[in-house]
């Protein structure tokens, strides 16, 4: 029978309507009938469930309409007289039955002038009965639909008034059909049908029996049992046909990853949800799950539960309810996990209270965090109501699945908040970590790899001891990544980029997540700074201001760029007589690898990763092997911020193994590296040989600082010391050689030595400390050797140059003078607190610039002079990516940073940094 479709017209006549039904569906019909000017003279619905009133009764009462609640309309097949009289008292012209689950006596059906019309979620006469949507899917129909029919004796056989049909795909479920078509279109169809009756154009088309089916209701447990002897397509249809409720059911024997427990007679009930046909050609890897009736074991894998039917067709299951507990299928063999509590904004706390009110209105009980939605009496229609009401209060589009997977109030609001932030729902995470009481606070940080949103052990089982440079004690042991761990992380990042939530959210939502991450770093800044101090030796006050403070600024800066990355339109020659439009798109590259050094562990991570994520990429990052702890704490904050799984991955371990694996990996499309020039050369070769991946390198430096005799000497001394001793000299832009004009040389040296002697060296957690320990022993030993070489070559050691006689890697700030251009210390970077001073004559500007440029490095430079013209001439001619004039170390998140020559190429920070993580696509359209 072809569907009946009549153009929607407003009603010319206003009818007195009795609504007999329930749920939010009926409540929405109530609203439309009111809108169209009809008078709802009575609402007849079901009894309250405990303290919970049906939404239809609620909205009717709010609008001052009579409400009648009946447990049943009949006793022993006969209408209850008192109920019949109550019904007749409203004097309705027509009965409208939206989502009516009760058997309504014919005395009521036929009583009004225009009798009764009823909604049915199928294309009658196919799938008569109470489970019509389910059977539409179980039978594999390619078309679904709805019917408004003239009610008969309850068998869905009355004449048809209106029908609508819609496509039904192989991936549809009860919820998707209901949400896409049957709910919104059904409400409109009922309202339209009432108008058709009022206008005298409502047909009565007799139902044909051709193709008619009357399918049994799927209410009894035995109707939910899966018959595993059926083919894969039939199994898929059966599971999705029961996807909303109650779930396709089977029983298995207790088992672990190692096999079935043959000693147990128990059975485990499992319900299956979220089936999809598996089209991948490769065999997936995972743990076996034995199901009686299947010839081949199912496989618990990273994307769910893969079932191979006996006819060879595969289907993948997303969710399981195991003995009443809903879990993601991939977690079947995982034990219970601890949840990380979210750090909430004021707005999010307000949302929670509004959501609590919604739950309270639905359940009619006081709502605690552990209140379970379904255990408190909620049903499938309450799920629909909850989804709709949450949308009203927050414009958040939840899916029914979000409620089924998060049944307690706390789970629900965590999932909702994470979804608001752009994440994929409630995230559970545990980690092996370290808790310490230090620096007048409690700190906690992970020690495992961070892959796909989880902290996991490495495949090789090896660890690296992390040493506190202040006292040489072992803080903890951190997992050391293998090549297979890196591969696993890259696959997770690739999936997140191509298929995950990260690929679906808008640029603005991405920015909101990065702002939230920055806020969390702000909230945890003291803890992060403390971890940075014990791990890298950074002075705590400096770590607060720079290591952590500038990291936070970096994330906020690039969060603001997320929705401002644009292309352009380009005028080109037209293909006459047609025209052409050419435009460019700036697109993310894909999976990016980042390798960062040990001098600013968190800040170097932030400088690179913030731009990378703002551009829309995903990342696998390897921190320095000797100080990875703030990177791992940062990973925990990513979970708290709602960053989707796979977007950020942290693999700790050696550069030779994990770092090289990143450079070699063919699925990484961009690699950003900060470190030595020698390692940079190796990485560049590997990137070229593997897949010609894009590279940006920030490498070594031997930055010149030229101080003229007309400078502000106080300022020059202060900044000259900072240019060398800042962060213990472990600073990529440290002034590797100071050229001091001969007229002020001796005075400059005298004052620098005097001020250096005043520097307090000691525990970096002490607020009065100015100079902490070097990062690790190998580096300190290198500095001692560096000083010895300088002395041997004839440079004058005027101060320091020794390791302090105390535990820890404490090295005295050191000052050399009388350094000539041919000396080792004049050419090579120390990367430590060693000041190299040479004289020059201001009478020969060209000569000092030549000497300054006589190096293969070109990272930074500086000049101190009151002569603006001279300063600009030096800035113009010096070969360095950064030039400081009458200041030093003045970097800012908005200013691009990067070097020339063998100091590398590419930029961190500023708008230019985004270019390192974007590709430009040109599109030409002819019209």
């Amino acid at each position: 029978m072809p569907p009946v479709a009549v153009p929607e017209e407003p009603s010319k006549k206003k009818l007195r309507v009795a609504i007999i039904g329930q749920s939010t569906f009926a409540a929405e019909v109530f609203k439309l009938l009111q809108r169209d000017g009809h008078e709802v003279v009575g609402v007849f619905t079901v009894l309250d469930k405990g303290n919970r009133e049906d939404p239809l009764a609620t909205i009717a009462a709010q609008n001052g309409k009579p409400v009648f609640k009946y447990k049943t309309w009949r006793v022993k097949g006969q209408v209850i007289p008192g109920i019949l009289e109550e019904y007749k008292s409203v004097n309705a012209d027509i009965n409208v039955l939206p989502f009516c689950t009760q058997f309504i006596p014919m005395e009521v059906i036929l009583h009004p002038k225009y009798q009764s019309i009823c909604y049915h979620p199928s294309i009658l006469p196919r799938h008569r009965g109470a489970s019509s949507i389910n059977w539409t899917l179980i039978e594999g129909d390619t078309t679904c639909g709805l019917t408004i029919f003239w009610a008969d004796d309850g068998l869905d056989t009355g004449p048809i008034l209106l029908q609508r049909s819609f496509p039904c795909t192989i991936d549809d479920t009860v919820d998707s059909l209901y949400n896409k078509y049957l709910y919104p279109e059904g409400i409109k169809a009922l309202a339209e049908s009432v108008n058709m009756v009022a206008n005298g154009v409502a047909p009565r088309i007799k139902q044909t029996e051709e193709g008619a089916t009357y399918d049994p209701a799927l209410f009894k447990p035995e109707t939910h049992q899966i018959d595993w002897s059926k083919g894969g397509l039939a199994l898929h249809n059966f599971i999705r046909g029961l996807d909303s409720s109650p779930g396709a059911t089977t029983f298995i024997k207790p088992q672990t990853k190692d096999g079935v427990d043959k000693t147990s007679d128990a059975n485990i009930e499992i319900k299956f949800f979220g089936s999809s046909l598996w089209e991948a050609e490769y065999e997936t890897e995972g743990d076996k799950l034995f199901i009686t009736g299947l010839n081949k074991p199912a496989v618990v894998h990273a994307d769910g539960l893969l079932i191979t039917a006996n006819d060879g067709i595969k289907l993948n299951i997303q969710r399981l309810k195991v003995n009443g507990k809903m879990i993601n299928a991939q977690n079947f063999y995982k034990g219970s996990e601890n949840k990380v509590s979210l750090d909430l904004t004021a707005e999010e706390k307000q949302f929670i209270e509004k959501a609590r009110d919604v739950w309270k209105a639905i359940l009619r009980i006081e709502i605690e965090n552990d209140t379970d939605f379904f255990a408190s009496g909620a049903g499938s229609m309450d799920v629909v109501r909850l989804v709709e009401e949450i949308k009203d209060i927050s414009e958040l589009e939840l899916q029914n699945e979000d409620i089924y997977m998060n049944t307690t109030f706390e789970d629900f609001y965590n999932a909702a908040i994470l979804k608001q932030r752009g994440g994929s729902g409630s995230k559970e995470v545990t980690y092996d970590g370290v808790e310490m009481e230090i620096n007048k606070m409690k700190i906690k940080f992970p020690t495992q790899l961070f892959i796909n949103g989880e902290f996991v052990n490495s495949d090789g089982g090896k660890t690296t001891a992390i040493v506190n440079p202040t006292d040489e004690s072992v803080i903890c042991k951190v997992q050391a990544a293998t090549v297979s761990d890196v591969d696993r992380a890259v696959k997770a990042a690739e999936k997140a980029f191509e298929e995950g939530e990260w690929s679906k959210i808008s640029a603005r939502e991405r920015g909101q997540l990065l702002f939230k991450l920055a806020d969390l770093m702000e909230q945890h800044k003291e803890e992060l700074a403390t971890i940075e101090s014990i791990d890298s030796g950074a002075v705590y006050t400096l770590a607060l201001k720079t290591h952590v403070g500038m990291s936070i600024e970096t994330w906020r800066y690039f969060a603001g760029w997320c929705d401002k990355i644009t292309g352009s339109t380009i005028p080109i020659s037209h293909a006459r007589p047609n025209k052409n439009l050419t435009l460019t798109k700036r697109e993310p590259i894909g999976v990016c690898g980042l390798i960062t050094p040990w001098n600013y562990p968190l800040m170097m991570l932030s400088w690179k990763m913030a731009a990378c994520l703002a551009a829309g990429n995903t990342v696998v990052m390897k921190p320095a092997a000797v100080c990875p702890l703030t990177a791992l704490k940062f990973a925990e904050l990513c979970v708290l911020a709602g960053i989707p799984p796979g977007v950020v991955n942290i693999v700790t371990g050696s550069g030779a193994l994990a770092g090289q694996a990143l450079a070699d990996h063919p699925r990484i499309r961009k690699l950003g590296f900060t470190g030595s020039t020698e390692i940079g050369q190796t990485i560049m070769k590997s990137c070229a040989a593997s897949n010609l991946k894009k590279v940006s390198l920030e490498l070594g430096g031997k930055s010149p600082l030229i101080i003229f005799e007309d400078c502000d000497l106080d300022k020059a001394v202060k900044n000259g010391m900072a240019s060398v001793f800042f962060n213990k000299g472990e600073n990529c832009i440290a002034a590797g050689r100071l050229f001091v004009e001969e007229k002020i040389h001796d005075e400059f040296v005298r004052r620098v030595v005097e001020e250096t002697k005043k520097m307090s060296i000691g525990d970096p957690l002490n607020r009065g400390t100015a100079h902490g320990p070097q990062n690790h022993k190998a580096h300190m030993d290198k500095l001692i050797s560096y000083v010895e070489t300088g002395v041997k070559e004839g440079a004058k050691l005027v101060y320091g140059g020794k390791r302090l006689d105390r535990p820890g890697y404490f090295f005295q700030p050191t000052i050399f003078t009388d350094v000539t251009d041919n000396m080792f210390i004049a050419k090579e970077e120390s990367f430590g607190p060693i000041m190299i001073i040479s004289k020059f004559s201001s009478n020969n500007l060209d000569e000092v610039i030549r000497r300054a440029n006589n190096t293969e490095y070109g990272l930074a430079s500086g000049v101190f002079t009151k002569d603006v013209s001279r300063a600009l001439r030096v800035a113009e001619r010096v070969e360095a990516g950064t030039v400081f004039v009458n200041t030093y170390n003045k970097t800012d998140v908005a200013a691009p940073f990067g070097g020339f020559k063998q100091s590398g190429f590419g930029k961190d920070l500023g708008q230019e940094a985004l270019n390192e993580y974007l590709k430009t696509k040109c599109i030409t359209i002819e019209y």
Side-chain angles (χ1 to χ4, degrees), residues 48-74:
D48 295 352
K49 294 180 180 179
N51 293 324
R52 295 189 302 117
E53 185 176 59
D54 188 83
L56 176 60
T58 300
I59 194 168
Q62 289 172 350
N63 284 271
K65 303 298 181 182
V67 179
F68 306 89
K69 302 174 184 179
Y70 303 140
K71 180 180 180 180
T72 181
W73 291 70
R74 305 187 309 169

Side-chain angles (χ1 to χ4, degrees), residues 283-308:
E283 288 290 330
T284 190
E285 298 179 356
D287 301 309
K288 294 179 179 179
L289 179 69
F290 294 91
I291 300 175
T292 303
L294 286 178
N295 297 335
K296 190 174 181 180
V299 178
V300 179
H301 65 115
D303 294 315
L305 176 69
L306 185 64
I307 292 172
T308 303

